[in-house]
Each structure stands twice: as C-alpha cells, then as structure tokens.
Amino acid sequence: MSKLYAIGDVHGQREMLSRAHARIKSDRGSDTQSPVVHLGDLCDRGPDTRGVLDDVLNGMEAGEPWHAIRGNHEQLFLNFLEFEGLEDPRYGDAEFWLDPRLGGVETLASYNVEADLSDLMALRDTALKSIPARHVEFLRARPFFFEVPGMVCVHAGIRPGISLMQQNKEDLLWIRDPFLNDPRWHGRLVVHGHTPVSAPEHLGNRVNLDTGAAFGRSLTAAVFEDGNCFVLTDDGREPLRPG
C-alpha cells in the first residue's frame, strides 16, 4: 500500500482545514510526493465554503499533490447551479440543497448571495454571477474516487460485490447501510467519509474519517503507510487500529 494522506468531510470549515493541512505538513517533512485526498463535501453547512474552495484550488494550482473527490454536497451544489427549469430533475435537488438541514444557504452566504427562495431560477442566476467561474469548473471536474495500490478513497462508500469501475455514482456519493453494515473485505481498504461518527473508525475493511466538522466537531486528517493507519494530531501520529 502506498503512502497516502486523507482528510474527512470539511463542510466549509476553513480554519479546521488549515489546521489539518498544517498537521499533514508537519508529518510529511521532506516528502513532497505522497497524495493528500480530500474525501468530498468541502462545501455546505460551515461558514466559509468559498474560502475552503479557494484554499484547495490555490494549493493544487501551486503544485501541492492534493486531490479532492466529489461528495454528495458538491453534487447538490453543482445541480443547483446547472438546473434549467421546473421540468429539470435537478430542480428538486436545488430545493433540497436549500433546505436548512443541508447547508446550501450557508454556502451561498459565503459568496454574499442572500438565499431568496421565492424564485429559484433567479437565485441560481444571481449565484452564477457571484461565484467565481474557477469554482464552478472545479466542482464539475471532481472525480468520484481516487485509488492507489491496496486502497480506494470514495466519499460515501461502495456497493459491495461490484467492481469499482461498475459502481453507480449515486452509491459512491450517498450509500450508507449496505456498505457500512457489510463486513466483507472489498479487495482493498476503502477510505471514506459521509456518515458522521464521534471518532475516526477502522473496521478492517474500511476507514471512516468523517468526524462531524459539519456540526462544529472535529476535522480528521490521517496517514496510511505500510499497511497502517495513523490519525494526525497536534502532537503527532496516533495509531488507528482495526476494531
């Protein structure tokens, strides 16, 4: 298994992301090649989606070995920006994204867009004028997974028993119980987020790094090396063992 860093769901928490990157920088030392994978859901709920996207984009453009895979919240954000009218199935996603529980309103606010819900088409047009084109292009370019030998990073998980290339994109973005409750080895370690837990979990066949930054809890960064997983803290590595 190659060395790889991963960061759980950020959800607009720019300061938490900055601290996670600092812990990774401290751990990696002179290593400038090992990838850093953001596991999706950079946006929504937290106060500064715009700042998070700027920081990740700036790092990637500066040559950092950073990757960001698509989460369900990136997809909802993108569907809002791209729906074409009442008959477009993405219209329902646009309404859903603006539900107070989903965090789209906070994302728009980070671009100084007030979410007037009385006319979604007008709101979308205002958003497109206010959101930098590079952010929209970034959302469109997000892949659904990132793999290295012995490991695959996805947002939500995979459908057990199906090869990676045959996975349904909806499962990669949204799946929960059929994946979370399956104890089988999937042919490689699956590293994911999407389902918040109180502390990072290693279940042997999968590792969940979503520790609730969306709700003001913690943002977890981890490193995978030589078959082992370590959570990165301000005091260094802490082993995360299966169990």
Side-chain angles (χ1 to χ4, degrees), residues 17-187:
L17 180 60
S18 178
R19 292 196 295 271
H21 282 152
R23 292 193 290 272
I24 290 172
K25 183 177 180 180
S26 176
D27 183 84
R28 73 190 312 157
S30 60
D31 170 16
T32 60
Q33 301 301 316
S34 296
V36 177
V37 182
H38 303 78
L39 294 173
D41 284 5
L42 294 173
C43 59
D44 296 349
R45 293 193 173 118
D48 198 359
T49 285
R50 178 175 188 156
V52 166
L53 295 185
D54 271 336
D55 289 351
V56 173
L57 268 165
N58 290 342
M60 293 169 70
E61 290 171 354
E64 294 284 357
W66 294 358
H67 303 266
I69 59 178
R70 187 178 306 213
N72 61 306
H73 282 263
E74 277 80 31
Q75 189 65 57
L76 289 168
F77 189 7
L78 191 59
N79 288 350
F80 169 78
L81 296 174
E82 294 185 338
F83 83 92
E84 297 177 353
L86 291 173
E87 302 305 317
D88 190 324
R90 291 172 295 187
Y91 181 88
D93 285 343
E95 287 191 309
F96 181 53
W97 184 64
L98 294 169
D99 184 290
R101 297 169 295 176
L102 270 290
V105 171
E106 287 82 357
T107 289
L108 291 177
S110 75
Y111 295 97
N112 296 315
V113 175
E114 183 178 352
D116 179 357
L117 307 185
S118 62
D119 186 339
L120 290 192
M121 185 67 78
L123 179 58
R124 184 213 63 176
D125 291 345
T126 299
L128 284 171
K129 293 174 183 176
S130 303
I131 297 170
R134 68 196 288 259
H135 286 196
V136 181
E137 293 166 3
F138 174 80
L139 293 171
R140 290 174 177 155
R142 290 312 88 219
F144 289 86
F145 59 85
F146 180 88
E147 58 180 332
V148 295
M151 185 189 318
V152 61
C153 298
V154 298
H155 176 61
I158 62 171
R159 178 72 58 175
I162 299 175
S163 70
L164 185 60
M165 298 310 297
Q166 294 179 316
Q167 292 286 327
N168 185 305
K169 292 176 181 178
E170 290 295 305
D171 283 336
L172 298 175
L173 296 176
W174 290 95
I175 197 168
R176 283 204 165 99
D177 288 351
F179 167 66
L180 300 176
N181 296 333
D182 195 307
R184 289 177 289 176
W185 176 245
H186 302 298

